[in-house]
Amino acid sequence: MILRDTTARTMLGSMLVSSIGMGLYTLALGQTLFQQTGDAQAFAMIFALQGLGAVAVLPFSGPLVDALDSRTVYVLCSLLRALTVGVIVVALSTGDGAVVSVVGTAAVFLAVFDNVQRTAFFKFTAHHIAGDRAVAFNSLIGIAIQAGSLIGMASLGLVLMIGTATQALLIDVAVSLVAALVVSRLRAPRQESAGRLRDSTLRSALPGMLRDWAGLFSRHRHEVVVFAMVLMCAGDFVYSYSLSTLVVPLVDAWHGGQPWAVSALEGTLGAGMIAATFFTRWTVRLSLLPVWVSLQAVLAAGLAFTTTPALHYAGFFLAGFANLNAITLLLTLLQQQAGPLDKAKMASLRLLAIGLGTAALMPVVGLAARQSLTSAFLTVAALLVPFAACGLWAALRFRPRAADRAEDEAQRQPELTPAA
């Protein structure tokens, strides 16, 4: 049983706590910006800016996290996240004319810390929770994230009874500090396959990172489909971000603008993801990858023409179900495909694709939302079409890498030496 593993329980607990803050942060920030600007594009641009922040840091974070202790990096990023969200709270509280610019700048830094932390999480769990337990753990990550998000959304409803959405962001600050404390007390059962760059000077470190990346691409030079699967990760996240962006104007148009309806729809999306985790034994299969991506596109198209509130809830539930299955499958396969000393770099490559996709595609969704909700949802559906085609190609062409081959390749990497 995966939950008997202390390391798994601790990391899942940390993810649960962090997700409480993330769920509250996303919903509260979206409501605040929409109230102040009356424009869904402002929130879409925040996602785009966060994508740019990811693009800026991820080429360096992979080799860096591969060369450092992933637990230490994870804790440090939690602390920096708390500080950054605190800055956002101050900016929103002042309410000056440049609030979107200030929040956008802070969001870039937040994306930097979040993506380095995710890289560290990917590396840590790939080393310490691998093999047959990987699918079970990765599906439980979905439960932790969505359960935490639901708790965060419910917490927002309670906070709004006595305060404002801006003040609610302080809960995100608190839970980030708690997550840092929880992981800092963890002692990993075994040493990571970590290393250090051969020289600490910037002049030699940068070429070392480039060699490290070149080694990754060389080892996968005959596996183009792997990089296609990396790109597919962007589609799943752009989809979920798009639903979070459009939920507020959707409620404003068809649910009487009730704040509880925003939380309820986001909660329904999360409930669909939680429900999916109970079926991963049957649903997380490579052959079903194009099905889950295509279903997301079909649901977005359906939401474009749906005016019945009950159908909105059904669509969000099914969207969460399909989204979680696609994310879990891609995450597990990429974790297993990367060699022992490539875990963080593969995570960086995956997050880089997500950042580039977010930065490029979320402004398109925002512009479409300015036209109408129908245009916005149809745009989301259209954006998913090439990802669905890519999923079909991956289902037909991908062949998992043997574990012993990955171990042999790790032993031939000269640019890294075992950490002391």
Side-chain angles (χ1 to χ4, degrees):
M1 180 68 176
I2 188 68
L3 291 180
R4 294 177 181 174
D5 187 321
T6 301
T7 301
R9 286 200 312 271
T10 301
M11 297 308 292
L12 287 171
S14 170
M15 185 59 66
L16 173 66
V17 171
S18 296
S19 297
I20 291 173
M22 184 63 73
L24 187 147
Y25 164 85
T26 301
L27 204 57
L29 186 60
Q31 287 191 12
T32 301
L33 289 176
F34 189 75
Q35 289 169 359
Q36 293 193 9
T37 65
D39 187 356
Q41 190 183 31
F43 196 34
M45 287 304 299
I46 295 298
F47 280 127
L49 289 170
Q50 288 184 321
L52 291 176
V55 171
V57 70
L58 287 169
F60 306 99
S61 67
L64 183 64
V65 174
D66 268 331
L68 299 173
D69 177 62
S70 58
R71 182 180 62 87
T72 301
V73 175
Y74 186 96
V75 171
L76 179 61
C77 288
S78 289
L79 296 175
L80 291 172
R81 174 182 173 79
L83 177 62
T84 306
V85 175
V87 171
I88 291 176
V89 171
V90 173
L92 291 173
S93 298
T94 58
D96 58 29
V99 63
V100 176
S101 299
V102 175
V103 172
T105 302
V108 172
F109 286 98
L110 188 62
V112 169
F113 305 139
D114 282 349
N115 280 281
V116 174
Q117 185 180 52
R118 291 173 190 172
T119 303
F121 183 88
F122 185 105
K123 175 189 175 182
F124 187 92
T125 56
H127 276 292
H128 302 295
I129 305 170
D132 296 336
R133 299 176 299 164
V135 172
F137 179 79
N138 287 334
S139 64
L140 287 175
I141 291 175
I143 290 182
I145 291 174
Q146 297 310 317
S149 295
L150 290 174
I151 294 172
M153 293 171 194
S155 300
L156 177 60
L158 294 175
V159 172
L160 290 177
M161 294 180 181
I162 58 175
T164 65
T166 299
Q167 293 168 344
L169 292 174
L170 292 173
I171 296 178
D172 190 21
V173 175
V175 297
S176 293
L177 296 175
V178 171
L181 177 63
V182 169
V183 177
S184 69
R185 300 170 65 86
L186 177 67
R187 293 296 177 266
R190 63 185 66 87
Q191 186 177 10
E192 296 177 357
S193 297
R196 61 167 68 91
L197 296 174
R198 287 191 289 183
D199 197 303
S200 61
T201 65
L202 182 62
R203 181 176 180 180
S204 60
L206 288 177
M209 287 185 181
L210 292 176
R211 288 194 299 271
D212 218 4
W213 276 114
L216 172 69
F217 285 105
S218 175
R219 286 183 287 278
H220 292 276
R221 63 185 179 276
H222 300 304
E223 300 172 315
V224 179
V225 68
V226 171
F227 299 113
M229 293 166 64
V230 169
L231 292 176
M232 286 189 66
C233 295
D236 290 314
F237 279 83
V238 167
Y239 186 77
S240 62
Y241 290 161
S242 296
L243 293 185
S244 294
T245 299
L246 298 176
V247 69
V248 175
L250 178 68
V251 167
D252 190 57
W254 302 111
H255 296 253
Q258 297 295 324
W260 64 265
V262 177
S263 297
L265 278 170
E266 284 280 8
T268 302
L269 180 71
M273 292 186 174
I274 292 175
T277 62
F278 294 102
F279 300 95
T280 52
R281 179 181 300 180
W282 303 281
T283 58
V284 177
R285 297 177 182 274
L286 183 60
S287 60
L288 294 177
L289 181 59
V291 174
W292 300 129
V293 183
S294 298
L295 179 58
Q296 293 177 80
V298 170
L299 290 168
L303 287 169
F305 301 104
T306 301
T307 60
T308 305
L311 293 179
H312 292 156
Y313 287 103
F316 270 63
F317 180 88
L318 292 174
F321 190 94
N323 191 257
L324 188 280
N325 281 308
I327 289 174
T328 301
L329 176 58
L330 290 170
L331 174 62
T332 302
L333 291 175
L334 292 174
Q335 279 181 333
Q336 295 174 344
Q337 201 74 358
L341 291 180
D342 285 335
K343 302 297 185 184
K345 287 188 290 296
M346 185 64 79
S348 287
L349 200 60
R350 172 178 174 268
L351 293 170
L352 184 61
I354 294 170
L356 286 169
T358 302
L361 301 180
M362 286 308 298
V364 177
V365 176
L367 289 173
R370 280 189 165 183
Q371 303 300 316
S372 68
L373 272 175
T374 299
S375 297
F377 279 116
L378 287 177
T379 298
V380 174
L383 292 176
L384 264 289
V385 171
F387 290 106
C390 194
L392 179 60
W393 180 45
L396 295 173
R397 296 295 301 273
F398 177 72
R399 295 293 180 272
R401 169 176 293 203
D404 55 349
R405 177 182 163 195
E407 294 286 349
D408 291 341
E409 288 182 346
Q411 296 173 2
R412 296 198 296 269
Q413 296 188 55
E415 68 269 20
L416 295 176
T417 57

